[in-house]
Amino acid sequence: MKINFDGGDLSSDAGLLLFKEFLFKIGVVKLINHIFKTNDTACFRIHKDGANLMQVIYQIISSYFEDDYADELTNAPVMTAVLDKDTLASQPTLSRFFNRMDSDTLQQLNLITRELRKIIYSIKKPEFMLFDIDSTLLDTYGQQEGEGFNFHYQAHGYHPLLCYDGLTGDLLRTELLDGTMYCSKEADIFMQSLLDEFTADYPDMPLYLRDDSGFPSPDLYELLETKDCGYAIRLKENAKLRELAEDENQALYRATRCNQIDYAVEYGEFMYQAGSWYHPRRVVFKIEKPYGQMIHMYTFIVTTMEMKPYQVIQFYCGRGKMENFIKECKSGFDFASVSSPSKLVNANRLQIHSLAYNLFNWFRRLALAVSMRKQRIDTIRLKLPQEW
């Protein structure tokens, strides 16, 4: 009799086998091998660029975020099975792979995402596209290129722009910006390529956009109007806007004169032209008195949409889901994995993590049971191996 504690070739990552089948169906590996190639001076490598990229994606999906995990996964049974390899690339191999990345690979990753989006939309195309833009902070530690102190977050890091589909949570575009850059700066340039893509690839799809008060950019307004993209963008409150809404403010005072406890609200609209705008635009607003308070709170939205004021406000408030998307990206897919001294390498890392997020989001939406489609990745990581 022989007793050991090896446990055999066991793994908690069996769900990757189902994920691999999904990637095969939509042609991910074939597309990556066709498009993705680093500017490599070596004549021969055992671990090719396409295989390395797929390994990193599988590691991210399985929550093995650090390069060091590759050494522990060298002979992992599920990992070797999904990659069709005897052994995986080691940590030094992956680190050299990342360090070879440049502006060319950044464009290639964007192209891969665009081509995959075409495939996904050929399966299930949305009736309209809802762009939700926001920014976040990715913490940095050390003298990384482009990092800086961000006043809004009161911390050092990078300040990337993110654009999601507000309905499905797909990450449509992301760009790594310096930590000190204000979110609305070059927001029109950020959206230009995405709007060009959708107007070219899906000319009949209605386009809409929602932004918070960090994006009041006249150049962005002009771009959206040129591309026939309806928008609802919050404005920062100021004395002039409050003056134009004074009639409704007084109406709210009269309505609550005898009842200062219950919640009350007034809606309205007016035409407004800020000093930096080329022409007047429609502004809708909400003035509300919170429950149990005597103060009045204002919300001003500049919009091209023809809905009633309260409908525009409701439409804008729907962007609150975006915080959940960002949280999922940062906690479930480690978007903060920007540890390289090079900003360009970190930008490539962010794109790869974005690609992994989108692949999983498509997999969750198109392949999983209805009961699992709203679950976060941490929950699905626990459930899939058991149900597989």
Side-chain angles (χ1 to χ4, degrees):
M1 180 180 295
K2 182 178 180 181
I3 300 175
N4 64 55
F5 298 93
D6 293 341
D9 289 335
L10 302 178
S11 175
S12 61
D13 302 321
L16 285 181
L17 297 169
L18 180 60
F19 186 64
K20 177 190 177 182
E21 290 299 315
F22 173 75
L23 299 189
F24 174 79
K25 290 291 185 181
I26 64 174
V28 172
V29 177
K30 183 178 180 180
L31 185 65
I32 285 177
N33 289 334
H34 176 67
I35 295 177
F36 189 79
K37 181 72 172 68
T38 65
N39 293 315
D40 190 3
T41 57
C43 297
F44 174 77
R45 288 192 184 276
I46 296 175
H47 301 285
K48 307 296 184 183
D49 287 332
N52 289 340
L53 179 56
M54 288 306 305
Q55 178 177 333
V56 173
I57 290 173
Y58 280 125
Q59 287 189 197
I60 294 170
I61 295 297
S62 303
S63 191
Y64 302 121
F65 299 133
E66 304 298 331
D67 296 353
D68 290 341
Y69 282 118
D71 290 336
E72 303 296 328
L73 298 169
T74 302
N75 301 110
V78 174
M79 282 290 188
T80 53
V82 296
L83 289 165
D84 295 321
K85 299 172 69 174
D86 294 330
T87 58
L88 273 62
S90 63
Q91 175 270 317
T93 300
L94 290 186
S95 296
R96 288 192 295 268
F97 167 66
F98 279 119
N99 289 332
R100 293 197 301 272
M101 293 188 181
D102 53 20
S103 57
D104 289 339
T105 56
L106 200 59
Q107 293 178 2
Q108 292 167 17
L109 291 168
N110 283 323
L111 179 58
I112 289 170
T113 300
R114 179 173 180 173
E115 293 302 316
L116 287 173
R117 188 153 45 231
K118 289 181 182 178
I119 296 172
I120 297 301
Y121 287 179
S122 69
I123 301 171
K124 189 175 182 180
K125 181 181 175 181
E127 296 182 5
F128 63 91
M129 181 50 56
L130 180 55
F131 301 117
D132 277 346
I133 308 179
D134 209 343
S135 61
T136 188
L137 185 79
L138 303 182
D139 293 328
T140 55
Y141 306 93
Q143 301 300 315
Q144 288 150 276
E145 180 186 4
E147 74 88 29
F149 181 78
N150 186 276
F151 181 79
H152 176 76
Y153 292 97
Q154 292 291 297
H156 277 263
Y158 289 115
H159 192 204
L161 280 178
L162 307 167
C163 181
Y164 291 88
D165 176 355
L167 299 178
T168 65
D170 291 349
L171 183 50
L172 304 172
R173 179 169 167 75
T174 180
E175 182 176 348
L176 191 67
L177 301 180
D178 291 350
T180 56
M181 185 173 289
Y182 190 67
C183 55
S184 66
K185 187 177 181 180
E186 299 183 356
D188 57 316
I189 299 175
F190 172 77
M191 285 301 301
Q192 177 78 59
S193 61
L194 193 57
L195 289 168
D196 288 343
E197 173 191 337
F198 274 81
T199 53
D201 295 347
Y202 319 102
D204 299 328
M205 183 184 294
L207 305 178
Y208 303 96
L209 179 141
R210 300 182 294 199
D211 282 342
D212 66 13
S213 57
F215 294 86
S217 167
D219 293 333
L220 180 59
Y221 302 156
E222 295 291 334
L223 172 65
L224 296 173
E225 291 162 3
T226 301
K227 296 294 185 179
D228 196 26
C229 178
Y231 61 81
I233 301 177
R234 186 166 184 171
L235 297 175
K236 292 183 184 296
E237 181 184 336
N238 61 49
K240 181 61 177 178
L241 293 174
R242 290 194 301 270
E243 178 184 341
L244 293 171
E246 184 58 25
D247 288 345
E248 284 74 11
N249 187 43
Q250 291 301 321
L252 186 60
Y253 273 120
R254 291 192 296 270
T256 59
R257 184 179 302 165
C258 299
N259 184 352
Q260 291 291 325
I261 301 298
D262 293 341
Y263 174 85
V265 61
E266 289 283 342
Y267 295 93
E269 63 179 284
F270 51 77
M271 296 302 293
Y272 172 70
Q273 182 175 358
S276 58
W277 297 4
Y278 303 116
H279 57 83
R281 292 181 170 91
R282 181 189 183 213
V283 173
V284 303
F285 62 90
K286 175 178 71 171
I287 308 176
E288 56 187 328
K289 187 196 78 63
Y291 177 84
Q293 300 184 37
M294 299 179 65
I295 62 171
H296 289 184
M297 299 175 61
Y298 295 81
T299 300
F300 296 98
I301 306 291
V302 58
T303 183
T304 56
M305 305 179 71
E306 297 179 355
M307 298 185 295
K308 295 179 179 180
Y310 79 92
Q311 293 174 322
V312 175
I313 298 292
Q314 289 178 344
F315 170 77
Y316 169 80
C317 290
R319 72 183 301 277
K321 293 189 299 183
M322 197 176 170
E323 296 300 326
N324 293 330
F325 300 152
I326 294 176
K327 182 179 179 181
E328 172 86 338
C329 286
K330 296 176 76 172
S331 64
F333 294 86
D334 195 28
F335 269 34
S337 181
V338 285
S339 56
S340 172
S342 166
K343 180 185 174 183
L344 189 54
V345 172
N346 287 327
N348 277 275
R349 281 183 175 268
L350 180 60
Q351 289 296 333
I352 293 174
H353 285 251
S354 300
L355 177 59
Y357 168 83
N358 277 325
L359 289 171
F360 178 80
N361 204 42
W362 296 328
F363 167 70
R364 173 170 49 193
R365 189 162 75 246
L366 299 177
L368 293 185
V370 174
S371 61
M372 299 180 70
R373 290 177 189 171
K374 292 185 178 181
Q375 294 176 350
R376 301 296 91 190
I377 187 171
D378 289 336
T379 303
I380 294 175
R381 283 182 181 130
L382 293 174
K383 284 190 173 183
L384 267 190
Q386 301 170 9
E387 299 184 5
W388 173 260

